[in-house]
Amino acid sequence: MILGTLVLTGRVVRALLGLDECMAAVEAAFRDQAEGRTWPAGMMTVHAGEGGFHVKTAGLVRERPYFAAKLNSNFPGNPERSGLPTIQGVVALCDGENGRLLALLDSIEITLLRTGAATAVAAKYLARRDAHVATICGCGVQGRVQLRALKSVLPLESVRVHDADRARALRFAEEMGKELCLDVRSAPSLEDAVRGTEVCVTCTPSRQAFLMKDHVAPGTFVAAVGADNPSKQELDPQLMSSATVVVDVLDQCASSGDLHHALDAGAMRREDVHAELADVIVGRKRGRGSRDEITVFDSTGTALEDVAAAVAVYERALSAGVGLAVALGD
């Protein structure tokens, strides 16, 4: 038995948590949510200059209960300004029975993978099963994870990518095309990127809607990933109101996601939301209803995903005997 708190660096987390394992953990956590085996997820956001901080909390009530709190900073200008990552932080994982601090984990890889994993899980239920054309809006590190995740659940053949930084989009297209053996091309405009697509992921730091109702063809699955605080927005409220909307956590999306902006604009009411993803996974609510239905997954990033990923890493670390045990109370 490890005494003290296990410190798991980013290198260790990357070695222990793959995308497939993270997807399985995230889907299981949503199932737990639907079946009443979780503690409510919470979030607090603080704006700070050119970025901000958020704290997200949740718990899983299984044979051994776990609680996690994630403190993340998000400063989109970091890579160009200082060379630091956009997202930095730590996940504190606790024993849900006695409160003991079990582990402190670097949060970068957990945040990246669990966000892509949630999109892939949603795509399994909300995208056309034969979808082979995808669009990625936002060619940062998260965009790469999103594409890898989609490729694992859909028979993708062609991908269009778009970014405000055309050079970054060109690099993304070249590198991800080689990695995934896909036809990945940088589109000169957003309209070109989304024309004829069947799956569209938005993962940008945008503070105003750019994906409009007229951009999205019947049958498209849209995953809105970037709006993780009240000041961010990617989707036109009219697009939201015309689609079948599924959220990760209703209360959180109503206060910080693209749903938040649709509600504020009067384009939607909370009761217009079709379902939380957890209810779709267990069959309490239907997934895609028809081939021509437009479906939207509003993904604000629930802490249930974080605690699920952190537990997977922690239990693998115990089995492998890796990590640094420290006595923080001394």
Side-chain angles (χ1 to χ4, degrees), residues 20-38 59-62 117-118 121 124-125 277-278 281-282 304-305 307-309 311-312:
D20 288 344
E21 293 83 6
C22 191
M23 286 169 53
V26 165
E27 184 164 5
F30 278 118
R31 188 176 296 278
D32 287 338
Q33 178 189 355
E35 296 175 350
R37 294 193 297 271
T38 63
L60 296 176
V61 187
R62 296 171 175 170
V121 172
K124 286 172 56 178
Y125 296 91
L277 181 58
I281 288 172
V282 299
L304 287 174
E305 300 161 10
V307 66
V311 168

Side-chain angles (χ1 to χ4, degrees), residues 40-54:
M43 182 176 75
M44 180 182 73
T45 299
V46 176
H47 299 290
E50 296 300 314
F53 299 87
H54 65 244

Side-chain angles (χ1 to χ4, degrees), residues 152-175:
S152 70
V153 296
L154 297 174
L156 297 184
E157 298 174 1
S158 175
V159 180
R160 296 83 169 268
V161 299
H162 181 68
D163 194 281
D165 183 340
R166 185 70 194 283
R168 180 161 63 173
L170 289 168
R171 287 195 303 272
F172 182 107
E174 179 181 2
E175 293 168 4

Side-chain angles (χ1 to χ4, degrees), residues 8-206:
L8 301 171
T9 65
R11 177 183 58 81
V12 173
V13 173
R14 284 191 295 274
L16 295 176
L17 186 66
L19 186 54
D20 288 344
E21 293 83 6
C22 191
M23 286 169 53
V26 165
E27 184 164 5
F30 278 118
R31 188 176 296 278
D32 287 338
Q33 178 189 355
E35 296 175 350
R37 294 193 297 271
T38 63
W39 290 318
M43 182 176 75
M44 180 182 73
T45 299
V46 176
H47 299 290
E50 296 300 314
F53 299 87
H54 65 244
V55 179
K56 294 183 176 182
T57 63
L60 296 176
V61 187
R62 296 171 175 170
E63 293 80 6
R64 179 182 187 179
Y66 289 99
F67 172 86
K70 183 177 76 173
L71 167 62
N72 259 16
S73 65
N74 189 321
F75 285 77
N78 270 359
E80 291 76 22
R81 186 171 54 241
S82 62
L84 292 171
T86 297
I87 294 174
Q88 302 170 88
V90 64
V91 178
L93 182 67
C94 299
D95 189 311
E97 287 186 335
N98 56 34
R100 185 167 73 90
L101 181 60
L102 300 174
L104 293 171
L105 304 89
D106 180 89
S107 73
I108 295 177
E109 196 72 10
I110 285 176
T111 301
L112 287 171
L113 288 183
R114 63 78 152 153
T115 305
T119 296
V121 172
K124 286 172 56 178
Y125 296 91
L126 300 175
R128 291 177 177 174
R129 295 292 181 89
D130 61 350
H132 65 279
V133 181
T135 298
I136 305 293
C137 298
C139 296
V141 177
Q142 182 56 241
R144 293 172 183 249
V145 176
Q146 292 286 321
L147 182 52
R148 293 182 187 115
L150 287 175
K151 177 66 165 58
S152 70
V153 296
L154 297 174
L156 297 184
E157 298 174 1
S158 175
V159 180
R160 296 83 169 268
V161 299
H162 181 68
D163 194 281
D165 183 340
R166 185 70 194 283
R168 180 161 63 173
L170 289 168
R171 287 195 303 272
F172 182 107
E174 179 181 2
E175 293 168 4
M176 295 303 293
K178 290 179 179 178
E179 177 185 325
L180 299 177
C181 298
L182 286 174
D183 177 18
V184 183
R185 301 185 185 186
S186 171
S189 68
L190 175 63
E191 290 77 6
D192 290 325
V194 299
R195 187 178 297 117
T197 197
E198 296 162 308
V199 175
C200 181
V201 177
T202 59
C203 46
T204 76
S206 177

Side-chain angles (χ1 to χ4, degrees), residues 244-316:
T244 298
V245 176
V246 174
V247 297
D248 50 10
V249 178
L250 179 55
D251 287 343
Q252 188 167 296
C253 289
S255 63
S256 65
D258 276 293
L259 174 63
H260 156 68
H261 296 284
L263 294 173
D264 275 2
M268 291 183 68
R269 302 165 300 167
R270 284 174 62 107
E271 52 265 38
D272 294 327
V273 174
H274 172 64
E276 291 187 325
L277 181 58
D279 289 328
V280 174
I281 288 172
V282 299
R284 191 173 295 145
K285 292 289 185 72
R286 66 165 178 83
R288 170 170 288 276
S290 71
R291 185 166 181 81
D292 289 336
E293 183 179 26
I294 295 174
T295 55
V296 169
F297 175 50
D298 193 6
S299 176
T300 52
T302 170
L304 287 174
E305 300 161 10
D306 296 311
V307 66
V311 168
V313 174
Y314 174 69
E315 292 181 345
R316 286 178 172 81

